[in-house]
Amino acid sequence: MAAAGAAAVRLALGIGYRGRAYRGWQSQPDGQTVQDKLEAALSTFADRPLRTLCAGRTDAGVHAINQVVHIDTDAQRAPASWVRGVNRYLPDDIAVQWCVPVSDAFHARNAALGRRYRYIVLESAVRPALETGFVGWVFQPLDVQAMREAARALIGEHDFSAFRAAECQAASPVKTLRSIEIARRGAYWRFDFDASAFLHHMVRNIIGCLVAVGSGRRAAPWMAEVLASRSRAKAAPTFAAAGLYFVGPYYDAHWAIPAQVPASDWPP
């Protein structure tokens, strides 16, 4: 319990989760979201209601490696106790990875300099079994050079309306995409994205277009045409949520917010 008259403090926490069992991050009336499960565990541990604010909301089925949230609380606990204590009340597929005290000026969303996502695609003649829910899937061979050429058209500040979901609530479709890295490890393709921020379904829609180019259904210059069109109808269908991972936000070094967690090399 908090001492009488204890002042509220702000804490930043890193959260990892598998999104397959949940209806996304944001709280919903049925309670089947990651935010609902986390806030219930935090409130039970602190013995008072607690609300979180996250760095970036994720959709149903999307995973997170280092989602960052902040909370304000007068509950007096050591940072390590927040990690162990809250995890006691969380399901196995959600876990607090770290906790650090921060000043009231820190804001999990607004202080972020950028965000990173990773998408994993299995290239296989048959559909996945063990990896179901954790990878996207293609049965055609992909051409890495064609995909890299197409990806270059997206780097920089652009209007990404062609890759934006109809229900996107972002104030502006203009974002700065800093890098797209594409590599293959065995049967798995790994696509890493770094941007100032992302629109709703932006990564999944870009992946759909990259796969269309990589499989030979479209030529690499088509990506620039899609971007310039600003029309969602010109792009490929949205790729599955299963292979998408929110790697996490990153901040100015003075905040001392961990950019990596023990599972930061996952997925391979």
Side-chain angles (χ1 to χ4, degrees), residues 154-180:
L154 304 178
I155 303 304
E157 183 180 82
H158 301 288
D159 182 327
F160 284 96
S161 292
F163 306 97
R164 180 182 193 177
E167 60 270 30
C168 181
Q169 299 177 359
S172 170
V174 177
K175 304 297 175 188
T176 301
L177 187 53
R178 294 167 180 151
S179 68
I180 302 176

Side-chain angles (χ1 to χ4, degrees), residues 123-228:
E123 182 187 308
S124 171
V126 297
R127 66 172 177 82
L130 297 179
E131 309 99 320
T132 297
F134 302 105
V135 297
W137 172 51
V138 295
F139 59 86
Q140 302 150 307
L142 298 179
D143 182 334
V144 66
Q145 295 305 327
M147 291 190 293
R148 285 173 177 165
E149 180 184 345
R152 283 196 289 271
L154 304 178
I155 303 304
E157 183 180 82
H158 301 288
D159 182 327
F160 284 96
S161 292
F163 306 97
R164 180 182 193 177
E167 60 270 30
C168 181
Q169 299 177 359
S172 170
V174 177
K175 304 297 175 188
T176 301
L177 187 53
R178 294 167 180 151
S179 68
I180 302 176
E181 296 181 3
I182 305 172
R184 180 169 182 164
R185 297 185 181 183
Y188 301 93
W189 289 94
R190 175 166 155 172
F191 301 79
D192 283 300
F193 297 81
D194 183 333
S196 58
F198 291 85
L199 301 169
H200 192 193
H201 287 178
M202 180 173 161
V203 173
R204 292 167 59 191
N205 291 332
I206 291 174
I207 288 291
C209 291
L210 289 173
V211 167
V213 170
S215 62
R217 299 196 305 273
R218 296 284 188 171
W222 171 72
M223 185 71 86
E225 296 173 12
V226 172
L227 177 68

Side-chain angles (χ1 to χ4, degrees), residues 250-264:
Y250 52 93
Y251 302 89
D252 189 282
H254 83 271
W255 294 117
I257 301 297
Q260 294 184 323
V261 296
S264 61

